[in-house]
Amino acid sequence: MAPKPLRNDPFPEIRRANDAGAAFVLESKGSGWMFYFVVLIQTAVNTGISIGAILLAGECIQIMYSELSPHGPLKLYHFIAMVTVVMIFLSQFPSFHSLRHINLVSLFLSLGYTFLVVGACINAGKSKNAPPRDYSLEASQLSRVFSAFTSISIIAAIFGNGILPEIQATLAPPATGKMLKGLMLCYSVILVTFYSASVSGYWVFGNKANSNILKSLMPDEGPSLAPTWVLGLAVVFILLQLFAIGLVYSQVAYEIMEKKSADANKAVFSPRNLIPRIILRTLYMALCGFFAAMLPFFGDINGVVGAIGFIPLDFVLPMLLYNMTFKPKKSSVTFWINTSIMVVFSGAGLLGSFSSIRKLVLDANKFKLFSSGIVD
């Protein structure tokens, strides 16, 4: 049964497009290419985010460890292994719905971490130990172009993060109201957190700012640029936040795996469902942890995931679904706006993919597998 229209619905076209688009994908299931295309992109994106979350969480623990034991024997991949074990344990939550409380806690952790980091950056920038600032761009014009498209891909990944979890809201009517509220909250949090941290970090450290700003605040040489308790609390906040991110974004892969392995007629915790779930989720998380330890390219992973995953999923596919579902006249403004968006962002995605993979290859040529540092 189709969901009833919302009272005073300000976005009736979006609601109809959402319902029709979802129906189009569902009708394609089993025979059409669209269903498999969407599932493939979603799985790739979620796996990339899970790898990145494990990688950054391991680095956060390494930061604390290096502060407490500067000459300790443990390397980055040891901490990644520790994070992977914790993620394997937490991954046994049986459903996406069971993570709703974790999502709420994750929101407060993001705000708390941002408040601490921005305050630490402002304090560092005004202190007598403030580092020299260089805001210059790369000398080569070609390198600047590649970096620009890599940055576009990373921004797409940041703003696209809100799309995949909110897709879950379309499973229960009315879809538009819940999804719109969720996305508006998500984008508000992104604007407050990502941009305040990035702007303040760039203001203090210029083009030498690390992708993990905590490493810039705790330089290898010289004193820390923020109080120890602030840095320690920020590490705890971001570590817990990364566990939440890893849990949320691994759910799509779990749903795909367990659709074939689980028996809907049995209880969730019955041996028939429990044993396959433990095995499959453990193997998935172990695989993510292995790639995080083997190739710790955090910035590069963000760029690749944004270009290959989020740009087509968020900017190309919705316009394509709209045109295929509603079939607007080729002479209409709607058709040409949608087509223009698809062309522009397809080009941006292709160039972003090339630039991100190029940077990944360049970094790989000067980097050893299972190293003890993250490449930005």
Side-chain angles (χ1 to χ4, degrees), residues 128-163:
K128 61 180 181 180
N129 296 320
R133 304 168 193 177
D134 182 4
Y135 301 116
S136 62
L137 300 176
E138 296 166 292
S140 169
Q141 184 175 0
L142 183 62
S143 296
R144 291 199 296 269
V145 172
F146 282 132
S147 296
F149 279 102
T150 301
S151 300
I152 290 173
S153 301
I154 293 174
I155 292 174
I158 291 172
F159 279 96
N161 278 336
I163 296 294

Side-chain angles (χ1 to χ4, degrees), residues 106-290:
S106 175
L107 169 63
F108 291 112
L109 290 172
S110 297
L111 297 175
Y113 169 80
T114 303
F115 176 80
L116 291 171
V117 165
V118 171
C121 286
I122 294 174
N123 179 71
K126 294 182 176 181
S127 70
K128 61 180 181 180
N129 296 320
R133 304 168 193 177
D134 182 4
Y135 301 116
S136 62
L137 300 176
E138 296 166 292
S140 169
Q141 184 175 0
L142 183 62
S143 296
R144 291 199 296 269
V145 172
F146 282 132
S147 296
F149 279 102
T150 301
S151 300
I152 290 173
S153 301
I154 293 174
I155 292 174
I158 291 172
F159 279 96
N161 278 336
I163 296 294
L164 293 178
E166 290 307 324
I167 288 174
Q168 303 292 330
T170 65
L171 300 179
T176 306
K178 291 185 292 183
M179 190 170 186
L180 182 62
K181 291 178 182 177
L183 288 177
M184 294 305 294
L185 175 62
C186 177
Y187 292 150
S188 300
V189 172
I190 288 173
L191 289 171
V192 171
T193 56
F194 279 94
Y195 279 92
S196 58
S198 60
V199 169
S200 59
Y202 186 74
W203 172 70
V204 178
F205 303 103
N207 55 23
K208 301 299 182 183
N210 196 286
S211 61
N212 186 347
I213 200 64
L214 293 177
K215 294 195 71 174
S216 297
L217 291 168
M218 301 173 66
D220 296 332
E221 298 179 359
S224 295
L225 299 175
T228 302
W229 70 269
V230 172
L231 296 174
L233 192 57
V235 168
V236 172
F237 281 1
I238 192 61
L239 185 61
L240 295 176
Q241 161 76 343
L242 289 166
F243 283 136
I245 290 173
L247 285 173
V248 170
Y249 283 94
S250 59
Q251 294 301 310
V252 172
Y254 297 159
E255 291 290 339
I256 293 172
M257 292 186 296
E258 292 165 16
K259 185 175 182 181
K260 299 295 183 181
S261 65
D263 186 349
N265 296 320
K266 302 287 185 180
V268 174
F269 292 101
S270 65
R272 169 63 183 80
N273 289 328
L274 181 62
I275 294 175
R277 183 167 69 242
I278 291 175
I279 293 174
L280 291 173
R281 296 190 179 194
T282 299
L283 289 175
Y284 176 80
M285 274 301 167
L287 185 65
C288 291
F290 175 77

Side-chain angles (χ1 to χ4, degrees), residues 19-36 321 324-325 327:
D19 295 342
F24 178 85
V25 173
L26 290 175
E27 288 171 3
S28 301
K29 182 177 178 181
S31 58
W33 59 271
M34 185 62 68
F35 174 79
Y36 297 101
L321 284 176
M324 295 178 70
T325 304
K327 296 179 176 59

Side-chain angles (χ1 to χ4, degrees), residues 26-91:
L26 290 175
E27 288 171 3
S28 301
K29 182 177 178 181
S31 58
W33 59 271
M34 185 62 68
F35 174 79
Y36 297 101
F37 176 72
V38 173
V39 169
L40 178 63
I41 293 181
Q42 278 193 328
T43 304
V45 166
N46 282 278
T47 302
I49 293 176
S50 296
I51 293 172
I54 292 174
L55 177 56
L56 193 56
E59 186 190 30
C60 288
I61 300 177
Q62 185 191 39
I63 290 173
M64 292 297 294
Y65 176 76
S66 61
E67 183 72 11
L68 298 173
S69 180
H71 305 291
L74 297 181
K75 305 297 183 183
L76 176 62
Y77 56 83
H78 293 123
F79 300 110
I80 289 176
M82 296 176 192
V83 171
T84 302
V85 171
V86 175
M87 289 298 298
I88 288 173
F89 175 77
L90 296 177
S91 68

